[in-house]
Amino acid sequence: MKFSGLVYLATAVLALPDVSNPVPQNVLQPVQYRVAFAGKQDAAVVSWNTYGKPGYQPTVYYGTDKNQLNSKSTGDSNTYDTSTTWNHHVRIEGLESDRVYYYRVGGAPESEIYNFKTARKAGNTKEFTFAAAIDLGVMGPYGLSTKVGNGASNPLAPGEQNTMDSLLQNIDNFDFLLHPGDLAYADYWLKEELEGYIDTGVNTRDTDTLFKNGVQTYEALLNTYYQQMQHITSFKPYMVGPGNHESNCDNGGTSGYTVQTCFEGQRNFTGIINHFRMPDSESGGVGPFWYSFDYGLVHFVNFNTETDLGKYGPGPDSVGGSDNMDSGEFGEDGEQIAWLKNDLKNVDRSKTPWVIAMGHRPWYVAAKKKHRCLECQAAFEKTFNKYGVDLVLLGHRHLYNRIHPIDDKGNIDPNGLNNPKAPWYIVNGAAGHYDGLDTAKKTDEPWLAYWQDTQYGWSKFTVHNATHLTHSFVVSSDNSLLDTQTLYKSRGQAITKRQVKKDKTSAANALSIGRFVIVAFFLAFFF
Ligand SMILES: [Fe+2]
C-alpha cells in the first residue's frame, strides 16, 4: 500500500485526543502502534497499547500480501503501577530483508492493516534516506502550539505546520526515524498547567492539589504523544534512545518537586523502558539505553548520555549527577563504555563502511558551558575518534548546530567534510518542545560551522553510497532544506580489502574447478 502523507496529516490533526480524556470508548482498542527494527534483518518488533488489560496473548498477523495475512507471531504484555495503559510487544522473525510486510494486531476489536518495510541487509549498497527528530514532544493544544504561555520564546506562527506535520508530509521520502531522547515532554505537565496550556478541569492554581492529579495528566500527555506519532510509527521503524525528559521529575523546574516526591511512572526512564523494544539483546546492549543495528551501508549505534558513564560519571541523571535524577544505573560499572568499544571494534567496515552514533546530550554546542555535557565528552569522544565513527548525532539543546569534524584533542580536521579523519557532529534539538527554542550562546567557538535557533526542524540524511552522505536540516514550517552538506569519506582500504577477499575467493574457486577438471581428465584417460 502506498500511503499519502497528506491523508495521514489530516488524520493526525483530527486524531489529537482530549488530554483530559484520551481513552477510547472500547478500552481494548489498539492504539499507539509502532514498529522497530529487531537487529537482524529478518526480524522486526510490532508494539501497541491498550487502555484495558487484554484477556489474550498479543498477536500480530502478517504477510507480504495485504489480503493474506497468513503468518502470525505472539508476544508479551507489560505495565507498571502508575501507567494507564498496557504495552504489547510482538517480535516477528523469518522475514525477508528490504521487503514490505502488511500487519494487523490480534484481539478484539481487530485493528486496521498497516505496513512497514524490513531493514536492508548489511552491505546492501542501495541509496537510502532516514530521518531524525530530537526533542520533539506533544503537538497541538497541549504541547507545541500557537498558544503562547509564559516564557515560550519561539511559538509557532498561527497556522504554521509543526515537525510531526512535516514528517508526515515527507513520509514517503524516508525509510525510518531516529529519536535519541526527549520524546513526549510529558514531565512538563505541571508547568504547562500553571502556564495555562492545559485545562484539566481542576479549578485551582494550588500546586499541591494539582500534583495529586498529576499522574493522570502526565499519562494523558504521554499517551497523546504516542497516539500522534502513530501516524508515522505504524509505518516507519522508530528507533529511540533516552533523554533527560524520560527521567525528569522537576516539572520543568517549576516547583521543587523532586525524585523523592515524583510518582513511579515519571521516574527512572520507566515509560520508555516499558514502551519500546530496541535491539539490545541482539547487539549485547541494554534496553533502549545502548544498542546497535545495521542497515545497508551503515552501522548505527545508540549510546546513553544520561546514566552509566562508568569512571567518567556520574551521568547527568544518575545519583549525584548534574541533574541529580537518581536514575540508573542500567548496567554494571563501566559496562556501557566497554560495550561501545567492543561494538565499534567489531564493525565490519567492508560491509558497513559508515558508522553513525546517536545520543542525547552534546558537548560541542552553542550554549553556555554548563549546558555542555563534558562528562559525556570524557566518556565517549576518545572511543568515537579511535574507531573512526563518521557522524555523531545529538540533541538536547533546542537549536541546530553543525560542527566541523573535530578530534578528541580539540583539533578541527583540516579536511573539513572532504575526507576528514575526525567525527562530524550534528546537534539538532529543534524538532519541537512546547516551550520554544533555545537562544544560541557562545557562537564564536571555532568548531561551530553553522547554527540557527529560530526554525523548528528535523534532520534528513541520505546515504548515497559507501563514500558520500548528505545531511539537510528540514524546516518544519515549509519543508524547505537548510544547510545541506555532503560528507565524503574515502573508503579505499576497506573496499579494496573486501574486493581483494572477494577476488581471492573467486580465484580460489576457479582454481578448485580447474583442478577438478584436470583430475577428471586424467582419471577418464587412464581408466
Ligand atoms: Fe534533553
Side-chain angles (χ1 to χ4, degrees), residues 135 182 244-245 360 396:
D135 303 286
D182 289 1
N244 51 305
H245 287 279
H360 188 62
H396 186 60

